[in-house]
Amino acid sequence: MRSILALSIAAAIAGCAGSELMPGQSTAADVEAKWGPAAEKHTHPDGETVYYYPQLPWGRVTYAARIGPDERLIAFEQRLTEENIAKVVRGRSSAAEVRDLLGPPYQPMRIERMNREIWTYPMRIPSDPTPKWFLVQLSLDGIVRETYLMDDPDFVPKGGGRRR
């Protein structure tokens, strides 16, 4: 019961993360005043720029502030969601698309002998109390080859001891 309450509180806090920022009114300067410099910024051809604020590994969220060409906030979103990871398609999604959708990865790792790069995204699934890792395996041509959603191997449940 406590874990459900803790998850509910965490979800409420996450939902309020950008609540002081008002789409259409807040500016890029307001976003940076509240959140600091973005970890990454991606500018799209239509002039929209996305500012990424990962709270990884322990926050298990990445916030994205979408800024329009007029320097006004369009939306402030949490990007590490079940809906977004479902958009990452093996054999079709590119590294650029994944990074644009999910933001910068935590612990990118290159495996030379496999000719692969692996990006790790610690996250939470609302219906599951166990933290997760979403892993994206990319070939050196920048195409997603494998994806995995697994329990966080570093997670120690309350009360100590490792999971079995």
Side-chain angles (χ1 to χ4, degrees):
M1 185 66 150
R2 261 192 222 178
S3 63
I4 293 172
L5 178 60
L7 282 176
S8 297
I9 291 169
I13 291 169
C16 297
S19 64
E20 294 151 14
L21 300 171
M22 301 295 294
Q25 295 177 7
S26 298
T27 65
D30 296 332
V31 171
E32 289 188 316
K34 175 159 177 56
W35 285 85
E40 278 186 15
K41 294 180 184 180
H42 295 181
T43 301
H44 297 184
D46 65 0
E48 180 180 315
T49 302
V50 182
Y51 293 30
Y52 294 96
Y53 294 95
Q55 310 296 299
L56 305 175
W58 307 116
R60 297 178 183 10
V61 295
T62 293
Y63 295 110
R66 296 176 43 222
I67 308 295
D70 62 355
E71 291 292 308
R72 298 248 175 239
L73 179 68
I74 296 169
F76 192 84
E77 309 162 341
Q78 203 290 87
R79 290 294 180 95
L80 297 180
T81 65
E82 286 180 278
E83 295 79 21
N84 281 348
I85 67 171
K87 294 175 184 175
V88 178
V89 180
R90 291 185 300 262
R92 199 171 79 212
S93 296
S94 71
E97 291 168 334
V98 172
R99 204 166 186 116
D100 192 52
L101 179 65
L102 303 178
Y106 172 71
Q107 293 184 326
M109 179 176 25
R110 191 173 180 119
I111 313 275
E112 292 296 334
R113 63 183 162 69
M114 293 176 57
N115 293 318
R116 294 282 195 262
E117 190 166 345
I118 300 174
W119 293 354
T120 303
Y121 292 94
M123 62 182 293
R124 288 237 181 234
I125 302 293
S127 61
D128 190 335
T130 304
K132 305 292 182 199
W133 278 7
F134 180 60
L135 302 171
V136 179
Q137 191 180 107
L138 302 146
S139 53
L140 297 183
D141 63 357
I143 300 298
V144 173
R145 298 302 172 189
E146 299 290 334
T147 62
Y148 306 95
L149 181 63
M150 59 184 267
D151 289 349
D152 181 339
D154 297 327
F155 175 66
V156 177
K158 195 170 188 164
R162 305 275 301 167
R163 290 174 289 124
R164 296 178 190 228

